[in-house]
């Protein structure tokens, strides 16, 4: 492409239930080597979806800005997951060291076999909607017909318990950086 790509705001959902506090910090540090991390949401303890016998998850989100196209960014996120120790299996509910997913990418929509943007679970999963709404309450979610704030308000917050210490540490460590990538 001859034209320079524009910088896009991106919201990335973050979750882990294997050594989550350490792995989330490691993943964010690795992400920062590729692009500025401009905001961190509150992180929450949440029950595992689809596998109630698993350890509790910690879920949250971050905002980044990038000129990468969605598939390139997804490749970077999968590489970070591998570096943190995640091995993807056929079990989509398996315990994991880290899970990094593009929830929203500018005003783009993507519907491919291996990538769907916006994340189709935002309207149904409070552990996605609530942290994302904290970062960008007025972001309109294509296909959902509502803003993140509206989607979060429609969902029960039962089972979302703030992880105060981790959130404070992450917000100090990633206080917001200027866009350069």
């Amino acid at each position: 492409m001859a034209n320079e790509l524009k910088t896009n705001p991106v919201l990335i959902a973050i979750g882990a239930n294997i050594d989550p506090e350490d792995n989330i910090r490691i993943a964010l540090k690795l992400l920062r080597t590729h692009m500025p991390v401009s905001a961190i949401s509150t992180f929450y303890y949440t029950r595992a979806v689809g596998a109630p016998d698993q350890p509790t998850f910690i879920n949250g989100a971050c905002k980044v800005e990038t000129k990468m196209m969605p598939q390139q960014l997804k490749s970077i996120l999968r590489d970070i997951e591998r570096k943190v120790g995640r091995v993807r299996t056929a079990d989509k509910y398996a315990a994991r060291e880290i899970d990094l997913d593009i929830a929203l990418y500018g005003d783009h929509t993507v519907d491919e076999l291996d990538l769907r943007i916006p994340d189709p679970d935002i309207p149904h999963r409070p552990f996605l909607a609530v942290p994302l709404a904290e970062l960008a309450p007025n972001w309109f979610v294509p296909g959902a017909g509502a803003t993140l704030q509206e989607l979060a308000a429609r969902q029960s917050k039962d089972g979302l318990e703030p992880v105060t210490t981790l959130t404070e540490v992450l917000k100090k460590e990633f206080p917001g950086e200027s866009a350069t990538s």
Side-chain angles (χ1 to χ4, degrees), residues 6 40 47 59 62 68 93-94 110-111 113 163 169 171:
K6 80 174 199 175
I40 299 285
R47 290 178 294 255
N59 286 290
C62 71
M68 291 181 201
Y93 298 116
V110 178
D111 191 3
L113 183 61
V163 186
V169 166
K171 287 187 178 206

Side-chain angles (χ1 to χ4, degrees), residues 8-127:
N8 286 285
V10 178
L11 297 181
I12 297 174
I14 305 166
N17 71 340
I18 297 174
D19 199 11
E21 294 195 21
D22 287 338
N23 288 335
I24 289 168
R25 288 183 70 209
I26 292 166
L28 283 166
K29 287 178 183 180
L30 290 169
L31 182 61
R32 181 169 47 191
T33 67
H34 296 280
M35 67 202 65
V37 176
S38 57
I40 299 285
S41 75
T42 300
F43 278 76
Y44 297 91
Y45 290 113
T46 60
R47 290 178 294 255
V49 172
D53 57 330
Q54 281 189 17
T56 300
F57 268 84
I58 293 179
N59 286 290
C62 71
K63 183 177 181 185
V64 300
E65 301 203 4
T66 187
K67 291 181 181 177
M68 291 181 201
M69 295 304 295
Q71 281 288 1
Q72 182 184 9
L73 176 57
K74 179 184 176 188
S75 177
I76 296 288
L77 297 179
R78 293 299 172 263
D79 185 53
I80 291 169
E81 288 179 345
R82 281 188 293 278
K83 287 178 179 174
V84 175
R86 179 162 184 193
V87 176
R88 287 184 174 264
T89 66
D91 180 2
K92 72 179 198 170
Y93 298 116
R96 58 202 67 175
E97 287 81 2
I98 194 71
D99 189 20
L100 301 170
D101 293 310
I102 302 168
L104 289 155
Y105 181 103
D107 58 3
H108 294 262
T109 57
V110 178
D111 191 3
E112 298 174 2
L113 183 61
D114 65 338
L115 181 60
R116 293 182 66 199
I117 302 171
D119 186 313
D121 289 329
I122 296 170
H124 315 289
R125 303 258 167 93
F127 65 82

Side-chain angles (χ1 to χ4, degrees), residues 128-151:
L128 283 173
V130 171
L132 295 172
E134 178 185 335
L135 295 175
N138 297 318
W139 194 322
F140 186 80
V141 180
T147 65
L148 285 170
Q149 182 174 329
E150 291 166 337
L151 292 172

